[in-house]
Amino acid sequence: MKFNLKHIITAATFIIGMSSCDYLNIVPDNTIELETMFETQEQAYGALSTCYEYMPNWGWLNNSMSLAGDEFIVRLDGGESGNPDRMPGEKLMKGWNSAQNPYLCYWNGGKNASALYVGIRYCNLFLENIDKVKDITDEDRKDWIAQVKILKAYYHFYLARLYGPICIVDKNLTPSASPSEVRLKRQPVDVCFQYVVDLIDEVLYDENGNEKTDLKDDRPNEFLGMVDRTIAKAIKAVVLLTQASPLFNGNAEYYSNFKNVDGELLFPMEKDNEKWKRALDATKVAIDAAHARNKKLYKYNADGGANIEFFDKDVWGKSEIVEYCYNNRYSILDPWNDELIWGYSNVGSFDQGTFQHASQCRRPDNQSVSDYSWQWLCASYRMGELYYTKKRGTYQ
């Protein structure tokens, strides 16, 4: 008994002595404290970039729903076609999806998707701490706050468009949050859409409806792709148009039994035509804003025929459809052209897995060299059958 008591007293004395040792307060390596993320404007800019990092990327075929349709034929070789982590949009169409591990799950970032709720939490983190930065101008601080609010609204909208009723995360939870606070309920779709619109309006207008200028409306070339006022107005128009669509507006046949845990209907049962009016008004505002910045439908600059491909020179100026094809094609290929409202600045034209990399033809002078032209993506035969010919109607 004495032996045990002696050792207990010795151990207790040792522990008490250790409690005053400074070396126990060392922060582990590779740990970033929250305060250091907002010490300077340069560090805060890194936090702003992180908020953009969760933007869904439609250009990367292995990280988007771009192939979730019947318009394309993709790689059929076993190493790619049979790989569950490649071309997830195509796997959706093949019926490979499962509730336990869904493809392109933007809710939690599963199967190649962006984790949008993580992105929303980063946005909240940014908004909670940007006022701590001391060496930033008031103009930049307001602009950055406005950008992040629009991103936060867009991420909520993207989730609502995919999943309907979602959990609204207006503020981050604290470590001391109760279980009831942690278990957020999914909100009715109209509540979700209104939250998004209200957040955008908070950036664009003051309490009297006058337009605010916190969010800049012109970006230098090195900052193209960052949110501006024209982009914010365009997003609002798309949000309201989506809310007015039959998918979310009075689809009682499909959603009459879709309720939350409290028995509340998550979709409106009656069609509301006023939603179309709100969408129309927002679209007009967005178009006017785009026109004010000289944005317009793209028209290819043929330069009198000098910029026309050799195989089209004989028909240029004689065929309206050829001119239409050039306008349509180069509205996508011509970077930062007049038609583009919100461009993605991280496009990798030569990176494997992009649309361009997958679909462009190989060089005619050397077919054996891929030269970033893998041509494994093409239109399906069904899409060819949809074309109309002048003499025979549909193409057979």
Side-chain angles (χ1 to χ4, degrees):
M1 188 69 182
K2 282 185 178 181
F3 179 83
N4 290 338
L5 181 60
K6 176 182 177 182
H7 281 76
I8 291 172
I9 293 173
T10 302
T13 303
F14 180 70
I15 292 172
I16 293 171
M18 287 179 60
S19 64
S20 62
C21 295
D22 293 336
Y23 60 80
L24 292 179
N25 296 324
I26 296 176
V27 177
D29 292 338
N30 302 319
T31 299
I32 300 177
E33 294 187 13
L34 182 60
E35 290 75 12
T36 64
M37 294 175 61
F38 297 93
E39 284 183 346
T40 66
Q41 180 172 358
E42 182 179 358
Q43 290 168 313
Y45 186 76
L48 174 64
S49 300
T50 300
C51 294
Y52 276 94
E53 185 178 323
Y54 292 87
M55 284 290 299
N57 188 346
W58 285 90
W60 289 84
L61 300 179
N62 291 323
N63 299 85
S64 76
M65 294 186 179
S66 300
L67 299 181
D70 60 354
E71 299 95 342
F72 306 107
I73 293 294
V74 301
R75 295 182 65 166
L76 300 177
D77 51 307
E80 297 294 328
S81 182
N83 188 336
D85 296 322
R86 306 284 282 182
M87 301 173 291
E90 182 230 7
K91 301 304 188 295
L92 283 173
M93 301 309 295
K94 283 185 173 181
W96 287 28
N97 209 16
S98 68
Q100 292 75 25
N101 191 18
Y103 277 96
L104 294 169
C105 183
Y106 289 90
W107 193 284
N108 64 10
K111 286 294 185 72
N112 298 22
S114 302
L116 292 186
Y117 274 118
V118 176
I120 291 170
R121 288 200 296 271
Y122 271 109
C123 290
N124 286 336
L125 189 70
F126 181 93
L127 296 173
E128 292 166 3
N129 292 277
I130 184 61
D131 287 336
K132 297 177 181 177
V133 183
K134 296 181 175 59
D135 63 337
I136 188 174
T137 65
D138 189 54
E139 179 185 9
D140 282 343
R141 191 192 311 273
K142 289 180 178 179
D143 178 50
W144 290 12
I145 290 173
Q147 287 185 57
V148 172
K149 285 183 178 180
I150 297 298
L151 290 175
K152 178 179 171 181
Y154 182 75
Y155 293 159
H156 276 94
F157 163 65
Y158 202 93
L159 286 165
R161 188 174 65 171
L162 290 176
Y163 303 106
I166 61 168
C167 301
I168 295 175
V169 184
D170 188 53
K171 302 288 184 182
N172 282 346
L173 296 173
T174 63
S176 60
S178 65
S180 61
E181 293 175 307
V182 172
R183 298 190 180 99
L184 297 177
K185 294 191 301 184
R186 298 175 72 177
Q187 299 296 321
V189 291
D190 279 346
V191 174
C192 299
F193 284 121
Q194 192 59 50
Y195 172 80
V196 172
V197 171
D198 288 345
L199 194 53
I200 296 174
D201 282 346
E202 181 182 315
V203 170
L204 293 176
Y205 308 105
D206 63 20
E207 60 274 10
N208 297 318
N210 301 313
E211 185 160 345
K212 295 164 61 176
T213 57
D214 292 354
L215 182 62
K216 295 179 181 179
D217 205 21
D218 190 27
R219 304 281 181 198
N221 289 343
E222 60 267 28
F223 297 113
L224 291 176
M226 299 178 77
V227 175
D228 57 36
R229 291 205 302 278
T230 304
I231 291 170
K233 292 172 183 177
I235 293 173
K236 179 181 176 180
V238 173
V239 171
L240 290 173
L241 183 63
T242 304
Q243 183 184 18
S245 70
L247 184 62
F248 296 97
N249 187 11
N251 195 347
E253 180 180 358
Y254 195 79
Y255 293 121
S256 59
N257 294 321
F258 199 177
K259 304 176 182 179
N260 63 15
V261 293
D262 299 324
E264 181 182 14
L265 284 168
L266 293 173
F267 282 81
M269 294 296 101
E270 295 183 4
K271 182 179 179 181
D272 182 1
N273 288 326
E274 185 61 27
K275 293 177 180 178
W276 288 107
K277 179 63 168 59
R278 292 180 66 201
L280 178 64
D281 293 343
T283 301
K284 179 65 166 60
V285 171
I287 291 174
D288 289 345
H291 284 168
R293 292 187 57 202
N294 296 318
K295 295 292 183 180
K296 54 185 178 292
L297 295 180
Y298 179 84
K299 185 174 177 60
Y300 182 71
N301 179 20
D303 193 18
N307 293 334
I308 303 303
E309 301 290 351
F310 70 91
F311 44 76
D312 287 325
K313 286 186 178 294
D314 292 340
V315 295
W316 184 259
K318 304 174 184 178
S319 170
E320 291 184 2
I321 193 170
V322 171
E323 183 176 350
Y324 169 81
C325 289
Y326 271 77
N327 291 339
N328 194 38
R329 178 186 184 189
Y330 284 95
S331 68
I332 301 172
L333 299 180
D334 193 357
W336 308 106
N337 61 70
D338 293 338
E339 188 172 319
L340 186 62
I341 301 296
W342 193 11
Y344 186 69
S345 58
N346 195 28
V347 175
S349 301
F350 303 109
D351 296 329
Q352 187 171 1
T354 62
F355 258 111
Q356 180 174 336
H357 183 280
S359 58
Q360 64 186 5
C361 296
R362 297 193 180 191
R363 294 165 48 187
D365 58 333
N366 191 347
Q367 289 288 319
S368 63
V369 178
S370 63
D371 201 17
Y372 306 106
S373 307
W374 295 92
Q375 57 184 31
W376 58 261
L377 180 68
C378 64
S380 65
Y381 184 73
R382 176 183 176 276
M383 294 305 296
E385 288 183 322
L386 294 179
Y387 277 87
Y388 284 82
T389 61
K390 188 172 184 180
K391 294 182 178 179
R392 301 184 59 190
T394 57
Y395 179 78
Q396 301 291 335

